[in-house]
Amino acid sequence: MYTTAFLDLPPLLQAEGAVRLPGSKSISNRVLLLAGLSEGTTRVHDLLASDDTRVMLDALRTLGCDIRPEGEVLEITGLGGKLGVPEAQLFLGNAGTAMRPLTAALALLSATQGGVFELSGVPRMHERPIGDLIDALRPLGCTIECLGQEGYPPLRLNGGTLKLDAPIKVRGDVSSQFLTALLLALPLVSQNQALTIEVEGELISKPYIEITLNLLARFGIQVQRQGWERFIIPQGSRYQSPGEIHIEADASSASYFIAVGAIAGIDQPVRVEGVGLDSIQGDIRFVEAARAMGAQIDGGPNWLEIQRGAWPLKAVSMDCNHIPDAAMTLAVMALYADGTTRLSNIASWRVKETDRIAAMATELRKLGAVVTEGEDFIEVTPPAPGCWTHGSIHTYDDHRMAMCFSLAAFHPLSPTIGAGQTVSVRIEDPRCVGKTFPDYFETLFQVAKTEPRLIPVITIDGPTASGKGTLASALATRLGYQFLDSGALYRVTALLALRRGVPADHEPALVGLAKQLGEDIPLRFSGHQVWLDGQEVSDDLRQEEVGQTASKISALPGVRQALVRQQLAFRKLPGLVADGRDMGTVIFPNAGLKVFLTATVAQRAERRYNQLISKGISVTLDEICADLEARDQRDKNRAVAPMVAAHDARLLDNSALTIDQSVDTVLGWWTDGWPHVVAPQA
């Protein structure tokens, strides 16, 4: 998962390949709660690992459930409808799928068995209304106190005396999660009589209720439904573990890759595995919406394949009550449509992780779209030809905002993009996708394709012991980019030469070794580890003899030329930070930001001295100074690619700077240069 402050997405040109999606959030948290309330042990397969499921699992553990991982399966021994602890404080983040059903279940259990429970979340959760659920529970005799604003979390559930002699009424036109919460909780108190829920107003998000009913049946509860107005829990209902249960991949998450295929599946399809046309999730009906916009979609029991059909996409006017979450994806697909797209009956967007109608309108306008918003609708007209604009997308701590707007990175394909125009799409706080799809961006980059010249690059050049490798590695981590330590390639070549007895001045033999790297001799980088021919050689590369040899062979023109291809191959999505001595002048001359790192010989010698002493190598500062001066002369005077600062490089003397100060300085240059440093023109 990207944990950076922002993620710059380069222009994307095509998509193809297969992705396997994480488990459904809606199914995962329902299954966890049902397993926690049931008798017996439930083995849960393919559970979504996310912020929302984590808070639910933490809550169940606090309440007394025994939860044990068994390989990739989670074993949950439930409470059998009995409270395991008399009181607890539960923090539920921003997970509505945890807050609503736990409120209902614990309110009823507290009223029948005693106990005091406080439920809270992040500040946004305390702005999400829960009053309609409270209004349904209080007439039953549940004692519920709102600790802040009335009708909103945080809540204290503190006993009561149940009265179940009348139908339980709940509004259905605000959020289906209120009805789901009651359906999941009421079987706990149905031992003596059947219980009836009556829905007031039109029930929205009906497919999510279908998921709830389907899962209740798996756990032994056969709810009788009379239309969408009345639901009857049979007398004597009792949760029983099904033993084993598998979680479908998330159909809402599938919507982004359906959209990717519809927009960019030009030559080959995008294949989604783990969810298919027979899914129990309502959001699978996003397939219908995407087809209406022109996508070609095929599918089976556990897979979908999506390819571009009509282009541009067709503008639609659609009632999205049945796919409220996935409908957000349509709003960004509208950027690629042939007119104005209208999405209506989406009032529930306003009470989600953020006010999604307002947020979507604000961020789409940043890209040049014309947007009209109403209380329960949004209309999106794509940017006029040549009018796409750079957008730093604020995500409002809302996972779906981040995932939806990643689709804007395919803007070069838009029929309205200007000739040769590229824009920068920056996703702020990409870590918010951890709520449901922690590896979303990594998964997107598996199927997205672009030209190397469009992938942003930062180069860090400088002399030996200037700290360029440390700086470049830290920058790559802070930006979520690939990292190229070009010196490692020379050290690998030097290590091979030493092992095979090739002299450091035998250029033809050294060139042959360099050309074999990555082909005949497997080479792999993983973080700070280097694997050569199946062996981890990270420590070997730090040997002084290897470093000395690398310095000598790097001056050989043939060796440098032989390693160019390997260095260029590091330019991968979403971007690259490369360090060396000619990164900005020879290897990546069109890099968006070039830095030439300098430090006094004395300062560099002291750093090198401390490194060698820590390895137990006896050496004097005078010897190191002499060695550094000799290396500098070799690097500056070599025949090919002498070490010089690129004409447009930013000079950074880090003699008196800490690594954090150096990183902050370069990040400041990158941020100040946005969007031009990451949006090359064709």
Side-chain angles (χ1 to χ4, degrees), residues 339-360:
T340 298
T341 292
R342 178 184 174 91
L343 310 176
S344 59
N345 209 355
I346 54 171
S348 63
W349 282 21
R350 295 201 181 272
V351 295
K352 295 288 188 176
E353 283 80 347
T354 188
D355 180 340
R356 286 174 169 169
I357 292 180
M360 185 63 71

Side-chain angles (χ1 to χ4, degrees), residues 212-414:
T212 301
L213 297 176
N214 184 294
L215 294 174
L216 281 167
R218 294 287 305 275
F219 282 84
I221 310 297
Q222 299 292 336
V223 177
Q224 301 169 23
R225 177 167 71 84
Q226 298 175 0
W228 295 104
E229 293 78 35
R230 291 170 60 88
F231 298 83
I232 301 170
I233 314 291
Q235 180 180 348
S237 294
R238 186 165 57 95
Y239 283 123
Q240 289 287 336
S241 169
E244 307 271 344
I245 191 165
H246 291 258
I247 308 295
E248 282 187 9
D250 188 56
S252 300
S253 296
S255 72
Y256 312 116
F257 293 93
I258 294 171
V260 166
I263 296 166
I266 300 170
D267 298 323
Q268 297 292 328
V270 172
R271 182 180 175 92
V272 175
E273 298 176 347
V275 65
L277 297 176
D278 62 348
S279 170
I280 67 170
Q281 300 169 71
D283 274 351
I284 196 61
R285 293 184 63 187
F286 182 84
V287 167
E288 301 169 10
R291 283 172 172 161
M293 294 190 78
Q296 293 183 0
I297 303 175
D298 193 11
N302 206 38
W303 61 274
L304 301 167
E305 284 191 348
I306 311 95
Q307 198 161 359
R308 180 192 280 188
W311 193 254
L313 295 176
K314 301 174 184 177
V316 295
S317 181
M318 188 174 295
D319 183 325
C320 295
N321 177 267
H322 59 300
I323 51 169
D325 286 342
M328 294 179 67
T329 310
L330 298 175
V332 183
M333 288 176 71
L335 293 171
Y336 304 92
D338 58 1
T340 298
T341 292
R342 178 184 174 91
L343 310 176
S344 59
N345 209 355
I346 54 171
S348 63
W349 282 21
R350 295 201 181 272
V351 295
K352 295 288 188 176
E353 283 80 347
T354 188
D355 180 340
R356 286 174 169 169
I357 292 180
M360 185 63 71
T362 298
E363 305 309 312
L364 284 169
R365 289 180 184 126
K366 288 181 181 178
L367 297 171
V370 177
V371 185
T372 302
E373 63 171 292
E375 188 58 34
D376 70 344
F377 74 89
I378 190 169
E379 291 181 345
V380 182
T381 304
C387 293
W388 275 76
T389 54
H390 305 289
S392 184
I393 304 300
H394 185 57
T395 51
Y396 307 85
D397 195 26
D398 186 339
H399 55 133
R400 299 205 186 282
M401 289 293 293
M403 292 186 281
C404 282
F405 276 91
S406 69
L407 301 175
F410 290 95
H411 67 267
L413 306 179
S414 169

Side-chain angles (χ1 to χ4, degrees), residues 44-335:
V44 183
H45 299 257
D46 305 319
L47 180 72
L48 169 67
S50 72
D51 293 342
D52 279 19
T53 53
R54 176 183 53 79
V55 297
M56 178 64 92
L57 284 167
D58 288 346
L60 293 176
R61 288 190 183 97
T62 301
L63 294 171
C65 293
D66 183 22
I67 301 175
R68 300 179 183 179
E70 293 289 340
E72 296 184 355
V73 178
L74 197 66
E75 289 191 349
I76 303 173
T77 300
L79 302 174
K82 303 295 182 183
L83 285 173
V85 295
E87 59 183 54
Q89 293 185 338
L90 306 178
F91 177 80
L92 301 174
N94 200 13
T97 55
M99 176 65 77
R100 276 74 181 268
L102 278 170
T103 294
L106 290 175
L108 293 172
L109 291 174
S110 174
T112 54
Q113 301 176 29
V116 180
F117 303 93
E118 292 187 4
L119 281 63
S120 64
V122 299
R124 173 58 186 170
M125 177 58 79
H126 298 170
E127 298 172 352
R128 298 177 66 179
I130 198 170
D132 292 305
L133 179 58
I134 294 172
D135 290 344
L137 291 168
R138 280 176 173 162
L140 306 183
C142 299
T143 302
I144 303 175
E145 179 184 357
C146 297
L147 301 178
Q149 183 180 356
E150 182 62 29
Y152 296 82
L155 309 173
R156 179 183 292 120
L157 316 175
N158 188 12
T161 302
L162 283 190
K163 298 174 289 185
L164 301 172
D165 52 350
I168 298 131
K169 298 183 182 297
V170 63
R171 283 183 62 184
D173 56 355
V174 176
S175 172
S176 66
Q177 288 183 0
F178 301 145
L179 175 56
T180 280
L182 291 172
L183 288 168
L184 294 174
L186 285 170
L188 297 169
V189 293
S190 64
Q191 287 73 28
N192 300 321
Q193 64 190 97
L195 301 175
T196 300
I197 305 172
E198 293 184 351
V199 178
E200 297 180 328
E202 180 188 1
L203 178 62
I204 65 173
S205 306
K206 296 179 181 71
Y208 286 100
I209 302 304
E210 293 278 18
I211 294 175
T212 301
L213 297 176
N214 184 294
L215 294 174
L216 281 167
R218 294 287 305 275
F219 282 84
I221 310 297
Q222 299 292 336
V223 177
Q224 301 169 23
R225 177 167 71 84
Q226 298 175 0
W228 295 104
E229 293 78 35
R230 291 170 60 88
F231 298 83
I232 301 170
I233 314 291
Q235 180 180 348
S237 294
R238 186 165 57 95
Y239 283 123
Q240 289 287 336
S241 169
E244 307 271 344
I245 191 165
H246 291 258
I247 308 295
E248 282 187 9
D250 188 56
S252 300
S253 296
S255 72
Y256 312 116
F257 293 93
I258 294 171
V260 166
I263 296 166
I266 300 170
D267 298 323
Q268 297 292 328
V270 172
R271 182 180 175 92
V272 175
E273 298 176 347
V275 65
L277 297 176
D278 62 348
S279 170
I280 67 170
Q281 300 169 71
D283 274 351
I284 196 61
R285 293 184 63 187
F286 182 84
V287 167
E288 301 169 10
R291 283 172 172 161
M293 294 190 78
Q296 293 183 0
I297 303 175
D298 193 11
N302 206 38
W303 61 274
L304 301 167
E305 284 191 348
I306 311 95
Q307 198 161 359
R308 180 192 280 188
W311 193 254
L313 295 176
K314 301 174 184 177
V316 295
S317 181
M318 188 174 295
D319 183 325
C320 295
N321 177 267
H322 59 300
I323 51 169
D325 286 342
M328 294 179 67
T329 310
L330 298 175
V332 183
M333 288 176 71
L335 293 171

Side-chain angles (χ1 to χ4, degrees), residues 440-514:
Y440 170 74
F441 289 105
E442 291 88 341
T443 306
L444 175 65
F445 297 146
Q446 286 177 23
V447 295
K449 312 294 180 186
T450 192
E451 296 178 7
R453 66 180 180 81
L454 297 176
I455 298 175
V457 177
I458 300 175
T459 60
I460 311 291
D461 288 319
T464 299
S466 59
K468 58 186 179 295
T470 304
L471 172 59
S473 176
L475 277 170
T477 299
R478 293 275 291 272
L479 290 167
Y481 280 6
Q482 309 288 335
F483 168 54
L484 166 60
D485 175 3
S486 66
L489 292 172
Y490 290 98
R491 289 192 292 274
V492 167
T493 306
L495 179 62
L496 278 173
L498 290 169
R499 287 181 173 180
R500 300 187 180 188
V502 177
D505 59 355
H506 194 321
E507 186 169 356
L510 292 168
V511 169
L513 288 178

